Amino acid sequence: MSKQTNILLIYTGGTIGMVKDYASGALKAFNFKKLLKNIPELAQLDCNIDSVSFDKPIDSSNIDTTHWIHIAEIIEVHYESHDGFVVLHGSDTMSYSASALSYMLENLAKPVIFTGSQLPIGDLRTDAKENLITSIQIAALQEKGRAVIQEVGLYFEYKLYRGNRTTKINAEHFEAFASMNYPPLVESGVHLKVYYENLMPKKRTKQLVVHHSLDNNVAILKLFPGFNASILHAVLETRNLKALVLETYGAGNAPTENWLISGLRAAIKKGLFIVNVTQCSGGSVLMGQYETSEQLKKLRIINGKDITTEAAITKLMYLLGGKITPKTFKTIFETPLRGEMQ
Ligand code: ASP
């Protein structure tokens, strides 16, 4: 008889476990043990489920880097004893968290599946049960004694995506996430359909390495028609700012105004890392395709290619935390580390 798979549920908070505060009408986090009592179906799953909860479950809008480090530590402590991990998390910042964890967990050879829901688990029409039950089943998938999924995924509304490729695109629909530049890893219908060709390659020998250091001296600057020099300078002169995601138009284009190009040039000269990421939800930066991106290319701005903003900002935090030398920073950023870019 094959051994039962051990799954660890990590409850951080989010709508999935919230209840209505009848005085104010607002949703607030709930006790995890009570939450589990609402899902008797879990007992029917063919795996052993343990759980760990944040002492104080949070709405994911309150997530910061210390929470990511905490999640990584929980996984590190339970890595040998468990075959897969399901992180229950609010959907608002789930793509950021899944991206951050993908970098922090180097050589990950087991599934870490982020999931949550748009409606609380106690709600009659909840999407929480399907999301949770299927996430556990995906985390428990094994072939020849090894995990099928060996990366950080995000499961929502019948699809498992690579976590660092996702973006929350809808605050209303059950289908809240999209992965515009990378196909799904698994689809759930009558059967679970695994798209093996889309998975990260299997890890053979290397040990899990958990990176605990993140540097949040980073910012995102989104261009818009009418964007002016004083805003640019206010951002570029932010104290301790080390890296910036510049959200440009289309295939990585920006105004050709001299004040913009010279401002960026001066900041780069002083040591600021600037990444060009497109505001479009799909497609890629292609610097040099238009006159409006030629100057950026000449400045040797880092090419974000088809990375999402969520994966870019967290990659910056991870690389800055890792003390990469300035000389190699651009090359390392432009290299896919966890399948986050082409
Ligand atoms: N505000 C909630 C959160 O992100 C929304 C959700 O869980 O879907 O925690």
Side-chain angles (χ1 to χ4, degrees), residues 14-16 18 58-61 89-93 117-118 168:
T15 300
I16 194 163
M18 289 185 180
I58 52 172
D59 185 299
S60 78
S61 299
H89 190 291
S91 62
D92 288 349
T93 59
S117 65
Q118 293 279 55
K168 183 170 179 182

Side-chain angles (χ1 to χ4, degrees), residues 9-23:
L9 286 185
I10 304 170
Y11 177 58
T12 69
T15 300
I16 194 163
M18 289 185 180
V19 279
K20 207 170 234 151
D21 178 302
Y22 284 99

Side-chain angles (χ1 to χ4, degrees), residues 63-70 72 96-97 99-105 211-218 242 313-323:
I63 282 273
D64 67 28
T65 53
T66 59
H67 298 106
W68 294 338
I69 294 167
H70 187 41
Y96 291 90
S97 298
S99 299
L101 266 293
S102 76
Y103 303 123
M104 296 167 82
L105 303 172
H211 298 271
H212 298 262
S213 166
L214 297 167
D215 187 332
N216 64 355
N217 288 299
V218 294
K242 294 181 186 156
I313 194 80
T314 49
K315 190 169 183 177
L316 287 176
M317 294 185 201
Y318 164 69
L319 293 181
L320 291 169
K323 312 276 181 290

Side-chain angles (χ1 to χ4, degrees), residues 138 154-161 175 184-188:
I138 289 174
L154 186 155
Y155 183 82
F156 230 85
E157 196 61 7
Y158 305 115
K159 287 197 185 86
L160 178 76
Y161 294 116
E175 198 170 345
L185 308 180
V186 177
E187 268 185 275
S188 160

